[in-house]
Amino acid sequence: MLDYFLLKKTGFGIEIHVFNSSSACDCLLSAILLLIILIYTFNAANVSAGDIASLIYLWNPWAIVTCVGSCTSPIENLMVVIMIYGACSRLAPLAAFGYVMATHLSLYPAILIVPVILLLGYGPDAPPTKVFLVKSSSDSKSGMSEYDKRSSLKVQRFSWMTVLHFIFWLFIWSCYVLLLSSMILKKVGGLSEMFEKTYGFILTVKDLSPNIGVLWYFFAEVFDFFRTFFLIVFNMNILFMVLPLAIRLKHRPCFLAFVYTAIVAMLKSYPSAGDSALYLGLLGLFANELAEMQFTFLLFFGYIGVSLLSPVMHNLWIWRGTGNANFYFATGLAYTCLQTVLVVESVGSMIKHDRKLRLLVTS
């Protein structure tokens, strides 16, 4: 199956006679995403989710648009997927490399340190701890052997050595990347100039060019006196969601990574279509758990409507001059609302699924 997708993507690049860096990274990202799917489905005994996830990513129009536009989103997504794959397979050096490169290219993947540590410590997604406790207590009453009891309790044990190994490689890769950056940028300002032009540019939202998000419109209308206050509010808004979601979804680190990625795509300063292509691909991993999710019809056609209307409104406003900023901002606002509904409904459906699982075990 892995060879099939690699040959398919390679054949697509040969047919269009253009095999640039973005399409190459997207091809490699698809292959690594498929490996994550295989690991997840092997642990969860879930066969159909892998096919759905691979199809969602490979045939996602936004993923195709990012390749056609030759933007750097596939490279950023590749680093994120490498990080998740390394954490799922408990390859600490690979996970650390993906994390360092992802945070080097963009600031927001830094919050993925929480699901990465949970994946390295506990492994891929598993039922809640209460389910294991109830199962072990019921098995002890039914006369389970001591060896089986010890093996069932191993599921709950956190592997600190793997996490420490990850932290060690995280330090090594960080020093290596910073050293190379300082050598390359020595004549143009050094690391301080790099941080100011990258992380500082992201946090201060200096460029108010229209994009698919909503922050450009908000900061174009807000008074300069309140700009610093709202910068702090919007930047801290992402951090406020990290701890509560980690506490509630610590037994499902892969799903937690999907939720964090969707929140980042919704609240980041300069979102792009490639951000949605990434979290929608990860969403396919949980097709069975989220089978009873509500508002799927609204979300599906809402995404299609936004994808069609957004370039039309942008063309009417920027190029033809027959519209105004509110036309394009309305599509960005609708896009943000759709992402909010997707995150809320997916988290609620996963919690309901775990609750039903616990009821099945207790019964």
Side-chain angles (χ1 to χ4, degrees), residues 114-346:
V114 178
V116 167
I117 290 178
L118 292 175
L119 279 170
L120 291 171
Y122 289 116
D125 291 8
T129 309
K130 294 181 181 179
V131 176
F132 289 122
L133 293 177
V134 171
K135 183 178 180 181
S136 60
S137 62
S138 61
D139 290 338
S140 61
K141 293 179 182 179
S142 61
M144 188 175 62
S145 63
E146 288 294 329
Y147 176 77
D148 294 333
K149 291 180 183 179
R150 289 194 300 268
S151 62
S152 63
L153 292 176
K154 285 183 180 179
V155 182
Q156 308 170 29
R157 188 173 300 172
F158 189 84
S159 178
W160 287 103
M161 289 301 300
T162 309
V163 176
L164 293 176
H165 193 202
F166 168 77
I167 295 175
F168 170 76
W169 278 103
L170 187 66
F171 176 77
I172 296 297
W173 287 120
S174 299
C175 295
Y176 184 71
V177 170
L178 291 177
L179 179 61
L180 288 180
S181 300
S182 62
M183 294 172 60
I184 296 173
L185 302 174
K186 186 176 182 180
K187 297 181 179 180
V188 292
L191 292 179
S192 60
E193 186 72 13
M194 182 192 72
F195 290 140
E196 181 181 355
K197 298 298 183 181
T198 54
Y199 299 155
F201 183 80
I202 293 173
L203 295 176
T204 56
V205 197
K206 295 180 180 179
D207 186 7
L208 300 180
S209 300
N211 53 60
I212 202 170
V214 295
L215 294 187
W216 65 271
Y217 187 88
F218 180 84
F219 284 106
E221 299 293 335
V222 74
F223 293 106
D224 293 336
F225 179 76
F226 299 103
R227 181 180 175 85
T228 304
F229 170 75
F230 284 107
L231 281 175
I232 296 174
V233 170
F234 280 109
N235 289 323
M236 293 299 295
N237 194 19
I238 299 177
L239 298 179
F240 287 153
M241 303 182 188
V242 172
L243 185 59
L245 289 171
I247 295 175
R248 190 63 185 87
L249 298 173
K250 62 181 179 181
H251 59 284
R252 292 194 177 274
C254 275
F255 182 74
L256 184 63
F258 152 73
V259 174
Y260 283 171
T261 307
I263 291 175
V264 165
M266 179 174 53
L267 298 176
K268 68 188 303 186
S269 303
Y270 304 100
S272 65
D275 301 325
S276 299
L278 176 61
Y279 73 75
L280 288 177
L282 294 175
L283 178 64
L285 292 172
F286 316 99
N288 291 333
E289 290 86 344
L290 303 179
E292 299 180 1
M293 188 175 70
Q294 298 179 353
F295 306 114
T296 53
F297 181 84
L298 173 65
L299 290 171
F300 179 76
F301 286 98
Y303 273 94
I304 294 178
V306 169
S307 302
L308 295 177
L309 289 176
S310 182
V312 173
M313 295 303 176
H314 187 273
N315 183 52
L316 288 175
W317 174 37
I318 299 297
W319 299 107
R320 297 183 181 271
T322 57
N324 54 38
N326 294 324
F327 288 23
Y328 185 69
F329 174 70
T331 59
L333 187 61
Y335 175 66
T336 304
C337 293
L338 288 172
Q339 289 177 308
T340 304
V341 174
L342 176 64
V343 171
V344 172
E345 289 299 322
S346 60

